[in-house]
Amino acid sequence: MKRIGICILCCFLLLCGCQRTAPAEADDVLDVTAEAPADTQGASAPVPEEAQGTRAQNGFTVLHTAAYVFEGEDGSTLYGAVEFRNDADVPLWLSGVQLDFSGEETLSQSYVPALAEYDRIDPGAHGYAAAWFPAQTLAPGTPLALTASLSHTAEGGAYIPLTVSDLFLADNYPAFTTMTGTLTNETGESCALNMLYTAFYDADGEFLGVWYFPTNTQLDSMDSVRFATHLRSFPVERLSEKAAAFSSRAFGFH
């Protein structure tokens, strides 16, 4: 029953923002293979044996935020994204996000990221979160500042780290970007469901935002699969022209 529930959630998320189909023809294609700035690396570090089982001291540190109001498929949409780092001495799992937007109006939104219980953030590793909400009375283009508060737990589900490579961005008509790449399972375990996060940065290292999506592809040990996702609800248009670097993390689970 748990597997069925997770599959239903993945199907819902896929319908909301991602399609595993070949990308449409594009005018501009960008090979976003440059590494992110030094303080935005997303790879997980090994957990030292002496740190396992010790108490978390600092928790998560918010490194970057991005906020937009844009015209989405359902009207004016509020978007918030966060990059954070685990500054504790033990692995942590994200258990809650509070986003406080300030500008013409002050808005607060709280939520629990989908499938976060399977995304183990090791000491020193970076994690990502993003969410979309109805913008209520805010007009598209309204400038906003964003602060984020994160909660965590030291217990979670089985974690299978996956590798993201060969990332390409293609800007399609009329106004959305397609991202393609390769997802590889380099572990000795198999996973039937997966989640991928990608953060984008401009040429000056400024944080542009985060896109995430699930796949329900079986990945056995050392398997690879090509993916394509359409960023129809990403707030930055012509992303291939603006993104100069990226940082990705992906994980699988049973």
Side-chain angles (χ1 to χ4, degrees), residues 38 42 45 90 95 124 145 148 159 162 166 189 230 235-236 247:
V90 296
S95 59
Y159 168 72
L162 304 175
D166 305 324
E189 300 184 64
H230 301 312
V236 179
S247 183

Side-chain angles (χ1 to χ4, degrees), residues 97-193:
V97 178
Q98 178 171 325
L99 302 177
D100 295 313
F101 300 88
S102 58
E104 292 182 2
E105 299 182 20
T106 299
L107 300 172
S108 294
Q109 298 282 356
S110 298
Y111 73 102
V112 177
L115 307 175
E117 65 270 28
Y118 297 100
D119 187 13
R120 188 186 77 198
I121 313 295
D122 289 332
H126 292 209
Y128 309 95
W132 292 255
F133 310 97
Q136 301 174 0
T137 60
L138 294 175
T142 300
L144 292 173
L146 173 62
T147 58
S149 301
L150 309 177
S151 56
H152 65 266
T153 178
E155 297 181 357
Y159 168 72
I160 303 173
L162 304 175
T163 301
V164 183
S165 59
D166 305 324
L167 192 66
F168 278 82
L169 296 177
D171 288 328
N172 300 283
Y173 180 83
F176 68 91
T177 299
T178 293
M179 182 172 70
T180 63
T182 302
L183 194 61
T184 303
N185 180 5
E186 298 179 346
T187 74
E189 300 184 64
S190 297
C191 52
L193 301 167

Side-chain angles (χ1 to χ4, degrees), residues 39-41 61-65 82-85 87 126 207:
D39 66 342
T40 58
Q41 296 300 315
T61 299
V62 174
L63 302 175
H64 304 288
T65 63
V82 183
E83 179 179 3
F84 58 93
R85 182 180 62 230
D87 283 336
H126 292 209
F207 179 65

Side-chain angles (χ1 to χ4, degrees), residues 76-95:
S76 189
T77 303
L78 180 64
Y79 169 90
V82 183
E83 179 179 3
F84 58 93
R85 182 180 62 230
N86 180 1
D87 283 336
D89 56 3
V90 296
L92 298 174
W93 286 258
L94 184 64
S95 59

